[in-house]
Amino acid sequence: MALAAPASLCDRQATTSTLLDGASIPSASNHITASWAKAVDLFNSRLTKDDHKRIDLSNFQRASFPDLLSAATTAKDTAERERYPWTNNIQNIFSQINRYAVAGDLIVQHHAEYTSLAWGAFRFLLLFTVAEGTTAAKLSGALRSTCQIIFRAEEYAKLFCAHSGSSTERVFQSLQENIIQLYAEILNFLVRATKFFEKHTLRRYISAGLSPFDTKFQGVLDAIDRAERNVEKDIGVLRSEAEIRQQEYDNGVWLKHADFSVDLKKLQDSCIPGTCEWFLQSRKYIEWRNFTAPHKPNLLWVQGKPGSGKSTLAAKIVQDMRSMSNVVVLHVLCKDGEENKDDLQSVLRNLVFQLLEKSPHHEEFHKILQSSRFNSKTQYVQSMETLWAIFRHMLEGSDQICCILDGLDECNNSQNERLVFFSRLKDVFESRVSASKLVIISRLDHLETGEDTHQWACVPIQTSDVREDIKKYATSKIQTIKVLDKHPQKQHLLEVLVDHSDGMILWTELMIKELESGHWDVERVLQTTPRGLSEVYTVIINRIAKVKTSLKEVYHALHLVLAAARPLDFHEIALGLATTKGLRNHEDYDHRGDPIAESKAIVLQASPLLSIMPDGTVQLIHTSLKQYFFDLDGQLDTSVFRFQERDVHETMSHVLVSYLSFDCFDAELIEQYHSKYYLLEYASRWLVHHSTQSANQKKVANRLLSFFKIAQGWRWLQRLSEWYRVSHSHLQLMQSQIRLWTQSLDFDYHDRNVLDEVLTVLAQKRLEATISSSSGQLSIMKAMANLASNYQDQGRLEEAMVLNLQVVETRNKVLGSEHPDTLTGMANLASTYRSQGRWNEAELLQLQVMETGKKVLGPEHPDTLIDMANLALTYRSQGRWDEAELLQLQVMETRKKVLGPEHPHTLTGMANLASTYMSQGRWDEAEVLQLQAMETKKKVLGPEHPGMLNSMANLASTYRSQGRWNEAELLQLQVMKIREKVLGPEHPDTLTDMAHLAMTYMSQGRWNEAEVLQLQVMETGKKVLGLEHPDMLTDIVNLASTYRGQGRWKDAELLQLQAMETRKKVLGLEHPGTLSGMANLALTYMSQGRWDEAELLQLEAMETRKKVLGLEHPHTLTVMANLAMTYMSQGRWNEAEVLQLQVMETGKKVLGLEHPDMLTDMVNLASTYRGQGRWKDAELLQLQAMETRKKVLGPEHPNTLIGMANLAMTYKEQGQWNEAEALQLQIQETEKKVLGSEHPHTLTDMANLACMYRHQGRWKEAQTLELQVMETRKKVMGPEHPDTVFRIEKLSLTCPDDLENA
């Protein structure tokens, strides 16, 4: 018999793409096939002759596990259908009787002569009947379990395949054997189960009776269970090993290390035998390299001028130290302008990585690094403190270490950063005098580090020290120059080259190359020998500049090499040069003859300044040449080659964007691009880097934007990770650089949108690159969180939520619920929920994050305080101000204690608490905090800092709420002017300030001025933000409010409808912003007397807010109060009263009796009582509201004056003319003082006073006031404003029956 591999298992394999930390899974079909075949052989070998007779294996030819399982299940179903009709009933009866079998046995024992034969026959029938039913039921359950085991068996086979590269061969061998055993046991069970069910019913009963389930099948199932446990044990070992390998890989990625092997090989190959012996045989070096002498210095400092052979000496030291046994040698060669080699953090990262790789304690070190990486929350290590802690810990756990640092002077760090670095490095190595050695080789003197001489063995490279090395070098090179073989001045030339070198081997090398190439002859060298590197560079450049025919090509080649983020090869240089000359497609390039030969000729023309490396790349001969080119003051007579660093980056940016715009990259599919399109990899990785380093940022940004607006640009973005092999680290760098652009440069709306889309695509590609790089689930989750953040910034909240959910679930599973990364993911998800208005879900997550943070990080940790502040913001959104206040007070006080009273986080906490006070109507307390925050920010951040301007804007908002509109206006004008100056007139923050100033104008009844500002904000917002941006929709609603204030109801309605529909589309029907829009539109309908339409909208908004926010949320109470107002306007007093009582009672509980909203609700209920003729009830409520407003808001606050006006109305309705007049006169005087004589409120109260005079028959006084009101309204609001028209109509007729409410 030959059973085939389980085809369905192999088919299902194709649908599974990831396993263990996101690593790609190779095809498992070969392993499954082999295991299956061996399992079949094992199964066959176990069958006895009787088994072969009973089991017809021919039915299972070409079978698979699912085939066998299906056959067994089919046989079971057939057996159940073909059972005797009475079988189930008999079995049920016998099962019941079987419960009393023991009693029957006792009876037989006492009366055996009468019952034994009958009872024995019955028991025999009972046994067979029950046994068949039991066996069938247990087999059915076992078949169901086998379904799961088969699936797991397939996964085990995949795991075997996925980890087949491991070093633990014994475990793999055991796993394969156990999988084969498991397959064989499953096969045995399925075949035997099938044969059981295929038996005739009577035979099945007999078989079950003679061999019950436990006898016939339990042993087989136990064998399956044992085999699966053995497999799971092996898998556990392999999974642990795979996780360790993955962690080691992730640790290496986190360190972002560099490769120094090519540079080291070039230095060692170019070293002349016998050189550097002066140093290697010196007393200081011999004492330093001796690990057995505890009292000898372990710190060595070698200082030399540029070109004195320092790097060659470092290579010799590396070679010497590696010859010693049991010494771990760490070597870092710093190079200005090369990624991961040009800053002090890179130095430390490379030291940690090399120690990690070379130390015999690498497993222990990986654990140390793993812990630090998890706690860092970053894709790459960013903290020097973290690196120092790791390095110190690793050194303490190491044996003999030698660290060689070459060229630290090429690191792009400040002098202070270098001092700190050298000091800490010295401290680390001084603590292990006998176990570690450190040598620093630099052009810097050790005294420049601030270190004492006695702590270092210092070896300055003197001219006399390297004289013999220079002589050996010059002698060996001169011997190879044929024209000098028999030259009479050969010896004199050698002496001149040695004498004039001034201890610089590089100078000698350049002079010999010039002689060798024939550019100089011996006589010229002897007569006019250049002095120092700068002079020889100048002579060479002037010589190159004389070849006019290819001067531009050399110029551009130097630009490309100087700008390159890594060494370029000849193909890349050739394409770059061709692009600078106008090349626009690869077809033309392919027909240009031999571009490689041309580029080599250009490089050779620029020789010896450009050097060809062993790997075929082109580099500057020495770092000092780059410094020479960029140091304009140090150049002599080289105006042709006067470079600025940002200019060379601009040239490279132009080349790369032009190259990526080639027509060939517009194709849907590019076959073998890497073998033909040589510059594509470099362009894809470094385009954004060079663009952001260029001189004319705006010009370069516009060029890049133009590229992103064509098909090639978007196709390039889409192909970055999969086709062009751009790593997730480069994608992250590109993201951060473009984001800096968006923050620092002024783009219009369309360009900003393009850049936002680019950022999102980069985040998507970064996620894809992270997944495809097998860099582990944790790295994938970081990339996913990054993409979610981009989605959230764009308002794509649903997509952000899906990604954040996945991040939280995976981190929770992999890292645990208390890991900092898990907590960050939960906080991000809560932020998304809050943006969606899903505050309850946000609250649950934030509570969990906060409590876990307190437990893991401590209650005073900055992250814990941020979590508490976020939860407080959610409470505030829910209207739970008391809870928000308690948390914010705690956060503020703790930050003052831990961070200090002037720390930005402390000031932010104060601003948040002040905002909560404002929500509670506690404006005086808010003002105190805001003034304090503003003064501190002015001192710490400066008067034009964005944080300072935000504080001023917040204070102005408080003034506006207090009715102090003039003070608010002055502050807002000041903020707006500064923002226009610093950020520009189109910046979103500037537009926000303009919108706030317009609201102040609205509060003052200065509708026209408000309208002008709001139109400007809206038009600019359309251009900068787009029509669907949430801020843009708010601006539309604000303009609609102004139109409503001007009586332009139709204009207001059109804008509000537009805003409401857009919010429904963008934010969703249940979002708080959408519901606010519905409420505003309803108010406009009310103003037009369209009560039914207003009522429908308000009912919908109310029910949705109850569902989403809850019955007690302030927003819900507001819409209920508005609906009650609609009922009042329709004369439906009882319905209004029911709602208002509910609002007021809930408001007392939620907001408190003195909250401004609560007092407004009392005034509204009083208006309803007045409408019902319940004057005394109305009067009591109005008196209470007025007195409380005087206490809380002050006697001159607009709301206090409105309450007094309402009370005066109630007095008038009761005929209490004197009380009413006294109140109205007081109101009028105060309003003229506070609001001005032309404010709408002032005019309304003058009209109310005139109406009262008419009722008293004081016609002259009434007419005088009404004429004044009418003329002022014509002037302020215009003759067509509804209020003006109304006054004109009523002037000579009668007073209005009702007055305006609060």
Side-chain angles (χ1 to χ4, degrees):
M1 147 167 181
L3 293 176
S8 60
L9 299 184
C10 300
D11 293 341
R12 198 185 307 144
Q13 156 65 20
T15 66
T16 306
S17 60
T18 56
L19 181 80
L20 276 188
D21 293 342
S24 297
I25 298 179
S27 173
S29 54
N30 292 337
H31 296 283
I32 294 175
T33 301
S35 299
W36 174 265
K38 290 178 182 178
V40 171
D41 292 341
L42 179 61
F43 173 66
N44 284 336
S45 69
R46 291 176 177 176
L47 293 178
T48 64
K49 290 182 180 180
D50 291 338
D51 289 333
H52 278 291
K53 290 177 184 178
R54 290 196 303 272
I55 301 174
D56 183 8
L57 296 175
S58 61
N59 292 334
F60 300 105
Q61 292 293 329
R62 308 296 299 169
S64 66
F65 275 148
D67 294 335
L68 295 174
L69 184 62
S70 177
T73 305
T74 302
K76 176 182 76 70
D77 294 341
T78 303
E80 288 178 352
R81 286 195 303 271
E82 292 179 354
R83 297 174 84 186
Y84 296 131
W86 42 265
T87 302
N88 289 335
N89 294 331
I90 292 295
Q91 281 189 346
N92 289 335
I93 294 170
F94 278 12
S95 296
Q96 295 297 323
I97 294 174
N98 194 40
R99 295 164 64 183
Y100 305 101
V102 176
D105 291 341
L106 289 172
I107 293 171
V108 169
Q109 289 175 13
H110 289 84
H111 304 282
E113 65 277 14
Y114 304 114
T115 59
S116 59
L117 183 61
W119 180 246
F122 182 80
R123 281 297 302 268
F124 179 80
L125 183 59
L126 177 67
L127 172 68
F128 277 74
T129 304
V130 173
E132 193 277 341
T134 303
T135 300
K138 288 184 177 181
L139 269 181
S140 296
L143 286 173
R144 286 193 296 273
S145 300
T146 304
C147 291
Q148 298 300 319
I149 295 172
I150 288 174
F151 177 75
R152 288 198 295 271
E154 173 193 355
E155 297 302 312
Y156 297 147
K158 291 176 188 174
L159 277 168
F160 171 74
C161 175
H163 302 291
S164 58
S166 170
S167 58
T168 317
E169 295 300 331
R170 182 188 59 78
V171 180
F172 279 116
Q173 185 178 355
S174 172
L175 173 62
Q176 188 176 27
E177 291 171 358
N178 285 326
I179 285 177
I180 292 167
Q181 181 75 23
L182 177 61
Y183 280 2
E185 298 298 351
I186 293 173
L187 182 60
N188 183 28
F189 170 71
L190 291 176
V191 169
R192 294 183 185 280
T194 304
K195 298 309 297 179
F196 174 79
F197 283 119
E198 285 180 344
K199 289 179 180 181
H200 186 271
T201 304
L202 183 57
R203 291 183 61 195
R204 193 167 66 252
Y205 273 77
I206 294 171
S207 175
L210 296 175
S211 299
F213 179 86
D214 291 344
T215 304
K216 194 175 187 67
F217 292 103
Q218 191 59 51
V220 179
L221 294 175
D222 289 344
I224 291 174
D225 185 55
R226 284 194 302 273
E228 188 176 18
R229 284 203 304 272
N230 289 336
V231 169
E232 287 174 343
K233 181 180 177 183
D234 292 338
I235 290 300
V237 174
L238 294 178
R239 191 185 296 275
S240 298
E241 182 185 313
E243 288 174 352
I244 291 170
R245 289 203 314 273
Q246 183 67 61
Q247 289 170 3
E248 291 177 354
Y249 172 83
D250 289 343
N251 289 342
V253 171
W254 188 62
L255 287 173
K256 207 176 179 184
H257 59 92
D259 181 13
F260 302 98
S261 58
V262 173
D263 296 309
L264 186 61
K265 185 177 187 305
K266 182 195 174 189
L267 290 166
Q268 291 175 340
D269 289 347
S270 63
C271 189
I272 303 298
T275 56
C276 300
E277 292 301 317
W278 67 270
F279 178 81
L280 299 177
Q281 299 301 323
S282 67
R283 179 182 58 82
K284 285 187 177 181
Y285 177 72
I286 291 171
E287 289 179 352
W288 171 82
R289 78 190 290 272
N290 188 355
F291 281 91
T292 59
H295 300 297
K296 299 298 180 182
N298 67 330
L299 306 176
L300 180 62
W301 191 291
V302 182
Q303 185 266 333
K305 66 182 73 173
S308 58
K310 298 186 298 298
S311 294
T312 303
L313 180 59
K316 276 283 190 178
I317 297 173
V318 171
Q319 195 172 15
D320 180 49
M321 297 304 295
R322 284 180 177 172
S323 67
M324 299 176 68
S325 59
N326 301 322
V327 176
V328 176
V329 180
L330 313 178
H331 169 243
V332 174
L333 172 58
C334 302
K335 300 188 81 172
D336 181 28
E338 286 200 26
E339 186 184 22
N340 301 326
K341 296 181 182 180
D342 62 353
D343 63 87
L344 294 173
Q345 190 191 76
S346 295
V347 172
L348 201 50
R349 282 193 274 108
N350 282 298
L351 288 176
V352 171
F353 178 78
Q354 290 181 29
L355 188 53
L356 191 69
E357 291 294 295
K358 298 175 182 179
S359 172
H361 309 292
H362 66 275
E363 289 184 4
E364 178 189 344
F365 290 169
H366 269 295
K367 291 177 182 176
I368 296 169
L369 206 65
Q370 179 78 356
S371 174
S372 298
R373 181 167 65 85
F374 275 4
N375 292 329
S376 74
K377 304 183 183 180
T378 56
Q379 188 168 7
Y380 304 106
V381 61
Q382 295 176 359
S383 166
M384 286 291 280
E385 288 301 319
T386 299
L387 282 169
W388 279 119
I390 294 170
F391 188 55
R392 181 183 287 276
H393 198 159
M394 290 170 71
L395 276 181
E396 288 170 355
S398 300
D399 299 324
Q400 294 180 333
I401 302 292
C402 175
C403 177
I404 301 157
L405 302 182
D406 179 18
L408 289 177
D409 45 90
E410 295 195 26
C411 291
N412 300 318
N413 295 89
S414 67
Q415 177 68 11
N416 186 58
E417 288 171 329
R418 287 179 182 172
L419 293 177
V420 172
F421 183 84
F422 289 138
S423 176
R424 298 197 69 166
L425 196 63
K426 180 205 71 174
D427 292 343
V428 168
F429 278 89
E430 270 195 331
S431 64
R432 305 180 73 254
V433 173
S434 62
S436 59
K437 302 292 179 181
L438 168 66
V439 57
I440 292 177
I441 304 168
S442 171
R443 72 184 62 174
L444 298 172
D445 190 276
H446 74 284
L447 296 174
E448 296 180 51
T449 68
E451 300 297 333
D452 294 334
T453 306
H454 73 275
Q455 296 171 316
W456 295 84
C458 303
V459 182
I461 301 176
Q462 306 289 351
T463 301
S464 58
D465 293 329
V466 294
R467 182 181 176 83
E468 280 304 310
D469 285 354
I470 293 173
K471 188 174 182 180
K472 287 176 183 178
Y473 174 79
T475 301
S476 68
K477 293 299 180 183
I478 287 175
Q479 299 299 335
T480 64
I481 303 175
K482 291 184 179 180
V483 295
L484 298 178
D485 278 348
K486 298 179 181 179
H487 199 285
Q489 298 288 340
K490 182 176 179 180
Q491 187 59 35
H492 187 199
L493 174 66
L494 178 62
E495 291 172 2
V496 168
L497 289 176
V498 174
D499 291 341
H500 286 73
S501 65
D502 195 24
M504 291 181 287
I505 294 177
L506 176 60
W507 182 91
T508 309
E509 179 185 354
L510 291 169
M511 291 303 300
I512 290 174
K513 284 180 182 293
E514 287 294 279
L515 281 165
E516 188 177 18
S517 63
H519 297 305
W520 283 55
D521 55 31
V522 175
E523 287 71 20
R524 184 183 175 192
V525 172
L526 296 177
Q527 293 171 10
T528 57
T529 309
R531 303 278 179 171
L533 284 176
S534 291
E535 280 196 25
V536 77
Y537 284 151
T538 301
V539 169
I540 293 170
I541 289 170
N542 285 336
R543 185 257 301 166
I544 293 170
K546 290 177 182 178
V547 186
K548 302 296 183 183
T549 54
S550 55
L551 187 59
K552 280 189 176 179
E553 286 82 354
V554 173
Y555 178 88
H556 286 130
L558 286 170
H559 263 227
L560 295 176
V561 175
L562 282 165
R566 61 153 176 78
L568 302 175
D569 61 30
F570 280 114
H571 285 293
E572 293 168 328
I573 291 174
L575 271 167
L577 291 174
T579 305
T580 62
K581 289 162 43 173
L583 181 71
R584 288 295 173 265
N585 58 70
H586 257 284
E587 260 184 32
D588 293 344
Y589 178 76
D590 295 337
H591 296 92
R592 288 174 66 91
D594 191 350
I596 301 301
E598 292 176 18
S599 66
K600 282 186 178 179
I602 297 299
V603 170
L604 289 173
Q605 185 179 335
S607 177
L609 302 183
L610 297 183
S611 175
I612 301 172
M613 300 294 287
D615 60 353
T617 58
V618 177
Q619 295 187 25
L620 297 175
I621 192 169
H622 195 262
T623 306
S624 59
L625 180 58
K626 178 185 274 192
Q627 295 164 345
Y628 170 84
F629 275 127
F630 293 153
D631 180 13
L632 300 181
D633 296 331
Q635 296 180 10
L636 305 174
D637 304 325
T638 55
S639 57
V640 176
F641 294 106
R642 286 186 180 272
F643 300 144
Q644 290 189 15
E645 190 168 3
R646 286 189 170 273
D647 289 336
V648 300
H649 281 292
E650 187 167 338
T651 299
M652 181 67 90
S653 170
H654 180 64
V655 165
L656 299 184
V657 78
S658 299
Y659 178 76
L660 290 172
S661 301
F662 282 8
D663 291 341
C664 59
F665 301 126
D666 192 29
E668 289 295 336
L669 186 64
I670 304 175
E671 294 290 346
Q672 301 298 321
Y673 75 87
H674 54 279
S675 63
K676 179 179 179 182
Y677 305 128
Y678 306 107
L679 194 54
L680 186 54
E681 178 267 338
Y682 185 89
S684 296
R685 290 190 180 199
W686 297 106
L687 168 63
V688 174
H689 166 74
H690 290 299
S691 299
T692 54
Q693 298 299 313
S694 298
N696 190 335
Q697 287 282 287
K698 189 65 176 177
K699 175 184 173 184
V700 173
N702 287 331
R703 184 187 297 137
L704 203 58
L705 276 166
S706 299
F707 171 62
F708 287 136
K709 291 174 183 176
I710 62 174
Q712 286 100 316
W714 284 103
R715 197 162 279 122
W716 173 74
L717 282 170
Q718 294 295 336
R719 292 169 172 168
L720 276 174
S721 57
E722 183 180 356
W723 285 31
Y724 300 160
R725 301 172 185 171
V726 179
S727 67
H728 52 87
S729 60
H730 276 87
L731 289 165
Q732 183 184 23
L733 181 65
M734 291 163 72
Q735 264 189 285
S736 62
Q737 288 172 327
I738 290 181
R739 188 170 282 113
L740 280 175
W741 257 359
T742 62
Q743 293 168 355
S744 60
L745 297 179
D746 185 25
F747 295 104
D748 65 24
Y749 161 68
H750 297 291
D751 289 345
R752 192 172 292 278
N753 258 2
V754 170
L755 288 176
D756 285 343
E757 285 297 324
V758 169
L759 284 171
T760 300
V761 174
L762 284 174
Q764 291 168 340
K765 296 299 113 182
R766 179 178 159 198
L767 176 58
E768 292 172 10
T770 309
I771 292 171
S772 63
S773 68
S774 303
S775 54
Q777 281 185 333
L778 298 180
S779 297
I780 292 170
M781 291 306 107
K782 285 180 181 176
M784 197 173 283
N786 170 64
L787 179 56
S789 175
N790 274 272
Y791 283 155
Q792 186 148 340
D793 289 343
Q794 290 184 298
R796 297 163 65 176
L797 300 178
E798 196 65 31
E799 292 164 281
M801 183 198 70
V802 170
L803 284 178
N804 280 328
L805 268 172
Q806 192 172 347
V807 169
V808 170
E809 288 170 1
T810 305
R811 283 180 175 169
N812 194 50
K813 177 183 173 184
V814 176
L815 301 176
S817 60
E818 295 184 352
H819 191 278
D821 284 0
T822 308
L823 299 179
T824 299
M826 293 168 69
N828 291 339
L829 178 58
S831 174
T832 305
Y833 283 153
R834 202 170 65 224
S835 299
Q836 292 175 301
R838 297 164 63 176
W839 291 310
N840 293 336
E841 291 160 281
E843 179 193 352
L844 287 173
L845 272 178
Q846 288 170 329
L847 276 168
Q848 188 179 346
V849 170
M850 184 182 74
E851 293 304 324
T852 309
K854 284 180 180 178
K855 173 185 170 187
V856 176
L857 304 174
E860 294 185 350
H861 191 278
D863 288 354
T864 307
L865 298 177
I866 289 172
D867 296 331
M868 292 169 69
N870 288 337
L871 178 59
L873 290 177
T874 300
Y875 284 155
R876 202 170 72 207
S877 299
Q878 293 171 298
R880 296 160 63 181
W881 292 308
D882 291 340
E883 292 165 276
E885 180 188 352
L886 284 174
L887 271 181
Q888 288 170 332
L889 276 168
Q890 188 179 346
V891 168
M892 185 180 72
E893 293 304 323
T894 308
R895 280 177 172 166
K896 281 182 181 177
K897 172 186 166 188
V898 175
L899 305 175
E902 295 183 352
H903 192 279
H905 287 189
T906 307
L907 300 176
T908 300
M910 292 170 69
N912 288 338
L913 178 59
S915 182
T916 300
Y917 285 156
M918 287 176 65
S919 299
Q920 294 172 295
R922 296 160 63 181
W923 291 307
D924 292 340
E925 293 166 273
E927 181 187 356
V928 169
L929 272 180
Q930 288 168 334
L931 278 168
Q932 185 181 345
M934 188 176 74
E935 292 305 319
T936 307
K937 283 182 178 177
K938 189 183 287 185
K939 171 186 167 187
V940 175
L941 305 175
E944 294 186 352
H945 189 276
M948 170 61 191
L949 299 178
N950 289 339
S951 290
M952 292 172 68
N954 290 339
L955 180 59
S957 180
T958 300
Y959 286 157
R960 193 175 69 232
S961 299
Q962 291 173 301
R964 296 160 63 181
W965 293 311
N966 292 334
E967 293 167 272
E969 181 184 352
L970 286 173
L971 265 183
Q972 289 169 331
L973 280 167
Q974 187 180 348
V975 170
M976 190 173 74
K977 286 177 182 176
I978 296 174
R979 289 236 214 240
E980 282 182 352
K981 171 188 165 188
V982 176
L983 303 177
E986 293 186 351
H987 192 278
D989 288 353
T990 308
L991 298 179
T992 300
D993 293 328
M994 293 170 69
H996 287 164
L997 178 58
M999 289 179 70
T1000 301
Y1001 288 156
M1002 288 168 63
S1003 300
Q1004 293 172 293
R1006 295 159 65 180
W1007 306 111
N1008 294 337
E1009 291 167 274
E1011 181 189 359
V1012 169
L1013 267 183
Q1014 288 169 332
L1015 281 169
Q1016 186 180 344
V1017 168
M1018 194 171 74
E1019 290 307 315
T1020 310
K1022 283 180 186 176
K1023 174 183 166 189
V1024 175
L1025 304 173
L1027 270 171
E1028 294 185 350
H1029 193 279
D1031 289 352
M1032 183 63 212
L1033 298 175
T1034 301
D1035 295 332
I1036 290 174
V1037 169
N1038 288 340
L1039 179 58
S1041 295
T1042 299
Y1043 286 159
R1044 203 169 67 223
Q1046 293 172 307
R1048 297 163 60 181
W1049 315 117
K1050 287 297 177 187
D1051 293 334
E1053 180 184 350
L1054 287 173
L1055 282 179
Q1056 288 170 330
L1057 277 168
Q1058 178 188 346
M1060 185 178 73
E1061 293 305 321
T1062 308
R1063 279 174 168 165
K1064 282 181 181 178
K1065 172 187 167 188
V1066 175
L1067 304 175
L1069 184 60
E1070 295 183 350
H1071 191 277
T1074 308
L1075 299 175
S1076 295
M1078 293 169 68
N1080 289 332
L1081 179 58
L1083 290 176
T1084 301
Y1085 286 156
M1086 286 172 64
S1087 300
Q1088 298 175 78
R1090 295 160 64 181
W1091 315 116
D1092 292 340
E1093 292 164 275
E1095 181 183 353
L1096 285 173
L1097 269 181
Q1098 288 166 336
L1099 280 168
E1100 184 181 353
M1102 182 178 72
E1103 293 306 321
T1104 309
R1105 278 183 170 165
K1106 282 181 181 178
K1107 172 188 167 187
V1108 175
L1109 307 177
L1111 180 61
E1112 296 183 350
H1113 193 280
H1115 289 185
T1116 308
L1117 299 178
T1118 298
V1119 77
M1120 290 170 70
N1122 289 343
L1123 178 59
M1125 292 281 288
T1126 302
Y1127 289 155
M1128 287 168 62
S1129 301
Q1130 294 173 292
R1132 297 159 64 181
W1133 306 110
N1134 293 337
E1135 292 167 273
E1137 181 188 358
V1138 169
L1139 266 182
Q1140 288 168 332
L1141 282 169
Q1142 186 179 351
V1143 168
M1144 197 169 73
E1145 290 306 315
T1146 309
K1148 283 180 185 176
K1149 173 185 169 188
V1150 175
L1151 306 174
L1153 269 171
E1154 295 185 349
H1155 191 278
D1157 289 354
M1158 183 62 212
L1159 299 175
T1160 299
D1161 295 332
M1162 290 172 68
V1163 170
N1164 289 339
L1165 179 59
S1167 296
T1168 300
Y1169 287 159
R1170 206 173 65 227
Q1172 294 171 307
R1174 297 162 61 182
W1175 312 115
K1176 286 299 178 187
D1177 293 334
E1179 182 183 345
L1180 286 173
L1181 275 180
Q1182 288 169 333
L1183 276 167
Q1184 183 183 349
M1186 184 181 72
E1187 293 304 323
T1188 309
R1189 277 176 169 167
K1190 282 182 180 178
K1191 172 188 167 187
V1192 174
L1193 305 177
E1196 294 183 350
H1197 192 279
N1199 286 3
T1200 307
L1201 299 176
I1202 289 171
M1204 292 168 69
N1206 288 332
L1207 179 58
M1209 283 277 297
T1210 303
Y1211 285 154
K1212 189 200 82 169
E1213 296 291 347
Q1214 297 178 81
Q1216 297 174 249
W1217 305 110
N1218 294 334
E1219 291 91 335
E1221 182 181 358
L1223 264 182
Q1224 286 177 327
L1225 284 170
Q1226 183 184 345
I1227 292 165
Q1228 192 177 357
E1229 291 307 312
T1230 307
E1231 283 180 338
K1232 283 180 181 178
K1233 171 187 167 188
V1234 175
L1235 307 178
S1237 58
E1238 295 183 351
H1239 192 279
H1241 289 187
T1242 308
L1243 298 177
T1244 298
D1245 289 320
M1246 287 172 69
N1248 290 342
L1249 181 58
C1251 184
M1252 192 187 68
Y1253 285 159
R1254 279 189 174 276
H1255 278 288
Q1256 291 177 294
R1258 298 161 64 180
W1259 309 110
K1260 193 68 176 173
E1261 293 167 279
Q1263 187 179 14
T1264 301
L1265 274 179
E1266 285 174 338
L1267 279 168
Q1268 188 180 343
V1269 169
M1270 184 186 70
E1271 292 303 324
T1272 309
R1273 277 190 164 145
K1274 277 184 183 179
K1275 173 187 168 187
V1276 175
M1277 300 178 175
E1280 295 180 359
H1281 191 280
D1283 286 354
T1284 309
V1285 173
F1286 177 78
R1287 288 298 158 195
I1288 292 171
E1289 289 175 352
K1290 295 292 182 180
L1291 180 60
S1292 59
L1293 299 176
T1294 184
C1295 292
D1297 293 326
D1298 208 352
L1299 299 178
E1300 294 180 41
N1301 290 318

